[in-house]
Amino acid sequence: MSGKYDRLAAMIVKAREARGWTQSDLANLAYVTEVVIARVEAGNPPNAVALKAVEQALGWLPGIFDLILAETADADAEDAVLGADGDDEDDGSAELRELTVDSSIDWA
């Protein structure tokens, strides 16, 4: 996996597996090829159209992938400023973000 797409790729895999879907199932629902799903799950940056299609197929809120990628970029920037072992306190916001974007929760 590569850089900022690692977290997104892991979340997509987790969401797909939680639904009992294969890569082929997700590809069919997103109207993309299995190669696209395999690349996304490997952490390779997909094109924006494919990313939106996967987002929609998973039933996630529009723009959630953008939020996840932005949070990852923000976290990387914060790590660079604070240092990887920064003495900052854990305020629980990471757990809240995980709950917010957890695809296993049925919000409907």
Side-chain angles (χ1 to χ4, degrees), residues 6-91:
D6 290 350
R7 181 170 181 224
L8 179 62
M11 293 175 73
I12 291 170
V13 170
K14 181 178 177 182
R16 177 181 57 76
E17 290 175 347
R19 289 166 173 77
W21 295 348
T22 64
Q23 286 184 342
S24 179
D25 294 333
L26 181 54
N28 289 333
L29 290 166
Y31 299 101
V32 297
T33 66
E34 289 179 50
V35 172
V36 169
I37 299 301
R39 287 182 47 79
V40 169
E41 289 187 358
N44 297 318
N47 66 49
V49 173
L51 203 54
K52 296 298 178 192
V54 171
E55 180 179 70
Q56 185 175 5
L58 290 171
W60 289 355
L61 295 173
I64 197 73
F65 285 173
D66 296 331
L67 178 65
I68 293 165
L69 292 172
E71 286 179 354
T72 302
D74 290 346
D76 290 346
E78 186 176 315
D79 285 347
V81 171
L82 294 176
D85 352 306
D87 292 332
D88 54 324
E89 291 183 24
D90 180 15
D91 63 359

